[in-house]
Amino acid sequence: MKALKNPVVQQAAAAMQEAFQSGDEEKMKQAWENFYEAVCDTIRQDAELAGGDKNILMQRGYRMLTEKEKAFYENWLESAKSTNPKQAFTDLLDGGMPETIIEDVYRNLVNEHPLLEAITFTNVSYLTKWIMSDHTIQTAQWGPINTEITKGISSAFKILEMTQCKLSCFAVIPKDMVELGPTFLDAYIRTILTDALACGLENAIVTGTGKNMPIGLDRDISSTASVVDGEYPKKEAVEVESFLPEVYGGLVASLCKTENGKYRKIEDLSLICNPVDYYKKVMPATTVLNAAGGYTGNVFPVPTEVYQSAELDEGTAILCLPKEYFAGLGSSKDGTITYDDSVQFLEDNRVYMIKLFANGRAFDNTVSILLDISKLDPAYITVLNKDATPEA
C-alpha cells in the first residue's frame, strides 16, 4: 500500500508507537494527529497525480476494489453527504464491513511489521473456542490383516475458551476527503487500521496482561500461575551473561518439551529484544569478525531470528517459538464503525471509531522464556590467526 511505504507516513507511525509506549496522553494525542495528517496528505497528492486513471492508481499501490467493497464505500460516502447522516450511517452498518477489507489489513500487518509476521494470525470471526494440537505423538497399532481396529487417536487436541476483546482506534477523516471517492477512502481506512492494530497487537503479544486483552509472551500461563483480577504475572526472568553454546543450548532445550512432557520440534526460534539492547548487547554478542576482515551478524549457536520491539523494557528479552503463539482477529457484525461530528466540529472533521475484536495466547507456558540480559557480555567473537607474527 503506497501510503504505508511513504517515508513521512512511516516516520509518523514510528513516532506514534513511541508515544503510546511513553504513556503520555498529550504526546499520544499529538502523535495521532501527525499520523493522520501524514496519511491524508499522501493520499491527496496521489489523488491529484492519478486524476482518476486506474493504471496509475495500480502502479502506485492502490487496490482495485471488489464490487462489494466498492458498494460499501459508495454507501459510506452517500451517508456522509445525507441530510440525516447518522441514520444513513446506521443503516449502512447493518451489513458490516466486507471481510476482504479486514483480510487485506492482516496482510499489510505481517508485511510491514516483522514481529507480527512471525505470529500465527487467524481470522476467527465470531469463534470463541479454538481447537489446538496437543503435540501428542500417537502411533497406529500393528496387527494381523482383517482384525478389528482397536486403537483410536485420542487426546491429540485441546480446546481453549477464547473470549474476544475489543481493539479500537479513532480515525479522523477531514470532510473534504469524502470527495476523493471509494478507492482513496479505502486506502485511508486500511492504512489507519493497519498501524492502529500494529501498535495494539505488538504490545499485547509481547507483554499483554490477559485482562481484556491477549496474554503476552512474557507472562506466566502455567496452571500454578497466580492470576489476580484477570491479569497474568510476568515470568521469572532467567539471567543470561553470554550466548556461548552451552548456555544458549540449555535455554533452547527448555523449549523442546511442552508442559505435558511431550517433545516438540524447534522451528522458527526467535529472540525479541528492545532496540537499545539490540545494538548495545545482542548485536555485539552475536557478531563475528571473520578471517576476511568483515563482519557476520546475528550468529547464534542455534539459528535464531531477532526481532526488535519497543514494547520490551531495556535489560529484558524473550526467547520464544512465535509460531506457537495463536492470535485470533475478527470483525464485529454489529457496528464495526461509528462516528461523531462534535468531537472536532470546528476543524470540520468527522471522527470515526473503528472496532475489531481479537485475542491470543501462547500454546502453553513452555513456548517462551523471559531473559534478563542486563549483564550480557557484549564482546563480539573474533577469529585468531595463529600463523600471524605478532608485532613487537
Side-chain angles (χ1 to χ4, degrees), residues 58-367:
M58 291 177 67
Q59 290 172 9
R60 299 186 70 81
Y62 286 84
R63 286 170 69 243
M64 294 301 101
L65 306 181
T66 66
E67 288 302 316
K68 187 175 181 180
E69 290 170 345
K70 187 177 180 181
F72 174 78
Y73 285 119
E74 285 177 344
N75 289 335
W76 184 335
L77 296 173
E78 285 302 314
S79 70
K81 300 173 185 177
S82 169
T83 54
N84 188 358
K86 181 161 287 191
Q87 182 58 50
F89 199 72
T90 300
D91 294 340
L92 168 65
L93 292 178
D94 287 343
M97 179 181 283
E99 194 169 305
T100 49
I101 296 174
I102 304 300
E103 289 173 350
D104 193 65
V105 167
Y106 295 166
R107 282 192 291 271
N108 287 326
L109 273 173
V110 299
N111 289 337
E112 304 295 333
H113 301 273
L115 175 58
L116 299 182
E117 183 179 5
I119 301 298
T120 302
F121 278 97
T122 306
N123 186 349
V124 297
S125 296
Y126 317 113
L127 297 180
T128 56
K129 292 183 179 180
W130 294 2
I131 301 176
M132 302 188 345
S133 168
D134 201 27
H135 294 287
T136 303
I137 299 176
Q138 297 196 33
T139 59
Q141 184 171 328
W142 287 97
I145 296 176
N146 297 328
T147 56
E148 183 182 355
I149 298 174
T150 57
K151 183 176 178 65
I153 302 298
S154 60
S155 303
F157 301 96
K158 67 179 181 181
I159 297 176
L160 293 180
E161 297 283 348
M162 298 295 288
T163 303
Q164 291 190 356
C165 306
K166 182 174 70 175
L167 182 61
S168 60
C169 67
F170 293 94
V172 181
I173 302 182
K175 290 182 181 178
D176 60 356
M177 283 201 69
V178 170
E179 306 301 327
L180 296 181
T183 300
F184 297 103
L185 182 59
D186 171 70
Y188 179 87
I189 290 299
R190 286 185 299 109
T191 302
I192 297 300
L193 270 176
T194 297
D195 275 284
L197 282 173
C199 286
L201 285 174
E202 185 172 324
N203 174 270
I205 288 168
V206 171
T207 187
T209 64
K211 182 177 181 180
N212 299 324
M213 67 189 305
I215 307 171
L217 285 163
D218 68 348
R219 300 289 161 164
D220 182 357
I221 58 173
S222 65
S223 57
T224 58
S226 178
V227 182
V228 180
D229 192 27
E231 295 189 6
Y232 286 78
K234 281 190 177 182
K235 293 175 181 280
E236 186 175 343
V238 178
E239 189 173 293
V240 178
E241 296 184 4
S242 78
F243 284 156
L244 292 173
E246 60 268 27
V247 175
Y248 203 73
L251 294 172
V252 177
S254 64
L255 300 175
C256 289
K257 277 188 177 182
T258 65
E259 280 188 294
N260 61 15
K262 302 299 180 182
Y263 290 101
R264 65 157 65 94
K265 187 177 180 181
I266 298 298
E267 294 180 317
D268 301 309
L269 182 66
S270 299
L271 181 75
I272 306 171
C273 64
N274 182 281
V276 172
D277 282 331
Y278 176 74
Y279 290 105
K280 282 189 174 182
K281 302 280 188 181
V282 177
M283 184 274 288
T286 59
T287 299
V288 176
L289 178 61
N290 57 43
Y295 289 98
T296 304
N298 290 347
V299 179
F300 288 85
V302 180
T304 304
E305 189 73 35
V306 179
Y307 296 99
Q308 299 177 41
S309 175
E311 307 302 335
L312 269 177
D313 294 332
E314 290 183 38
T316 62
I318 298 173
L319 186 66
C320 64
L321 303 173
K323 293 300 182 187
E324 295 285 322
Y325 187 98
F326 298 88
L329 296 176
S331 59
S332 168
K333 184 178 180 181
D334 302 315
T336 302
I337 307 168
T338 56
Y339 83 93
D340 192 287
D341 282 337
S342 63
V343 179
Q344 294 195 13
F345 175 75
L346 295 179
E347 294 89 343
D348 198 30
N349 289 335
R350 175 162 288 168
V351 179
Y352 291 89
M353 184 174 73
I354 302 172
K355 296 185 291 185
L356 291 179
F357 294 84
N359 213 330
R361 55 161 287 164
F363 168 78
D364 69 12
N365 204 46
T366 65
V367 166

Side-chain angles (χ1 to χ4, degrees), residues 37-59:
E37 287 175 9
V39 175
C40 284
D41 289 343
T42 298
I43 291 176
R44 283 195 192 100
Q45 291 168 15
D46 286 347
E48 292 172 4
L49 211 72
D53 190 315
K54 288 186 177 180
N55 290 327
I56 295 178
L57 288 174
M58 291 177 67
Q59 290 172 9

